[in-house]
Amino acid sequence: MREVDPAPEFFSSLPGADEAVVPESEVKRLQAQVRELERLLGKKTLENEILKEALELAHPKKRTSLPGLPLKGDSR
């Protein structure tokens, strides 16, 4: 009588058994890359907000009236 190796059943029952195994060094490298990209995104978002505020200060939105209607206080 031949013994059956229980290892395949054991490994197939583990959570994520159908997922590829990735070396820990690759996981750490990818995590570092994600952190760097998140840092850069935050920096660019802050830069964008500062530039928007500067643009609003440099070119405030002009109040416009409908064509043909006088502005308040206009005595035409």
Side-chain angles (χ1 to χ4, degrees):
M1 186 189 250
R2 186 174 160 233
E3 280 190 39
V4 177
D5 185 9
E9 285 180 16
F10 172 76
F11 289 118
S12 65
S13 66
L14 290 176
D18 60 337
E19 296 176 10
V21 177
V22 179
E24 187 175 347
S25 60
E26 180 71 3
V27 171
K28 287 182 179 183
R29 186 188 69 77
L30 291 172
Q31 287 173 335
Q33 185 178 14
V34 167
R35 278 193 302 275
E36 176 66 9
L37 291 171
E38 287 174 338
R39 186 189 70 77
L40 289 172
L41 177 61
K43 186 176 176 181
K44 289 298 179 184
T45 300
L46 182 60
E47 183 180 309
N48 190 29
E49 291 296 321
I50 292 169
L51 291 173
K52 279 183 182 179
E53 289 178 18
L55 189 60
E56 286 177 10
L57 290 173
H59 301 288
K61 293 182 180 180
K62 296 177 184 175
R63 292 180 48 185
T64 59
S65 65
L66 295 174
L69 294 178
L71 293 173
K72 187 175 182 179
D74 193 0
S75 61
R76 282 194 247 174

